Amino acid sequence: MLVLPKGVRHIPGYLDRDAQEELVADIRAVVAAAPLFTPAMPRSGKEMSVRMTNCGALGWVTDRALGYRYQATHPVTGKPWPAIPARLLEVWDALSACPRPPEACLVNFYADTAKMGLHQDRDEVDLDAPIVSVSLGDSCLFRIGGTSRSDRSVSFRLDSGDVVVFGGPSRLAFHGVDRIYPSTSALLKSGGRINLTLRRVGARQACAM
Ligand code: MD3
Ligand code: FE
């Protein structure tokens, strides 16, 4: 039996097919206003295989020169990020147990061979708030361990419509995406996987988780 780390709540199929289609339409509008960009690692400049954009007051970006950070504008267009779609704010309100709204929503797009190495998300100040993740399109193999890179990890599949809340002791857990399972969903016309992560960035604020 799979035992998830403490603080991880996986809700398979939280969004039904209609809700997923509506959310994809919302995200297409976000991407039209704020095109996907290819993030690069600090210093090395090595490009990530995942393409990204954001919505919300702040967006997470990275490039060779300035590294990981949140900023209010798109790194290529210089424009403010579009608003977080109302449907996503509803997911946050229903599941986060956090009274303050998310300030950032990172949109990750994975083509068939994209992956994301094991990492911690620690560019936020408000670590009391959880991160709420929504998966759309092709399935992936997700891995999460503990707060040390060498801690044992568990792997599980995330399918389209799944939502995961990472709070409490899991908020600083190492995690990554080991692989995409191509052609496992017909939601996205050209395939691939979208992951949306709703985040609090700024000042600390107590939350239930
Ligand atoms: C656990 N994204 O954007 S979502 C990321 O599927 C990221 O695109 C992956 O890791 C994806 O940073 C995983 C699940 C997730 C996101 C953030 C977390 C799990 C997390 C932060 C802390 C702990
Ligand atoms: Fe992450």
Side-chain angles (χ1 to χ4, degrees), residues 62-183:
T62 175
D63 55 35
R64 182 176 205 153
L66 299 178
Y68 307 143
R69 65 203 187 269
Y70 282 92
Q71 64 180 38
T73 55
H74 190 286
V76 178
T77 67
K79 296 202 291 186
W81 305 103
I84 299 176
R87 251 179 278 279
L88 270 179
L89 297 176
E90 286 171 17
V91 175
W92 175 269
D93 287 344
L95 298 177
S96 72
C98 183
R100 283 160 66 90
E103 296 157 293
C105 175
L106 177 57
V107 178
N108 291 149
F109 178 78
Y110 295 77
D112 287 0
T113 59
K115 48 196 174 13
M116 189 178 285
L118 209 61
H119 68 277
Q120 288 175 300
D121 287 34
R122 47 187 314 160
D123 300 316
E124 304 79 21
V125 177
D126 186 355
L127 294 173
D128 290 339
I131 286 182
V132 175
S133 153
V134 178
S135 292
L136 296 168
D138 287 336
S139 300
C140 77
L141 184 62
F142 174 74
R143 183 147 67 103
I144 183 163
T147 53
S148 298
R149 184 176 285 279
S150 56
D151 288 346
R152 77 175 67 254
S153 63
V154 295
S155 295
F156 57 100
R157 189 173 161 129
L158 291 177
D159 298 321
S160 194
D162 288 8
V163 175
V164 192
V165 183
F166 300 91
S170 73
R171 178 62 183 77
L172 286 174
F174 278 86
H175 60 278
V177 173
D178 287 339
R179 63 162 299 188
I180 301 298
Y181 296 107
S183 307

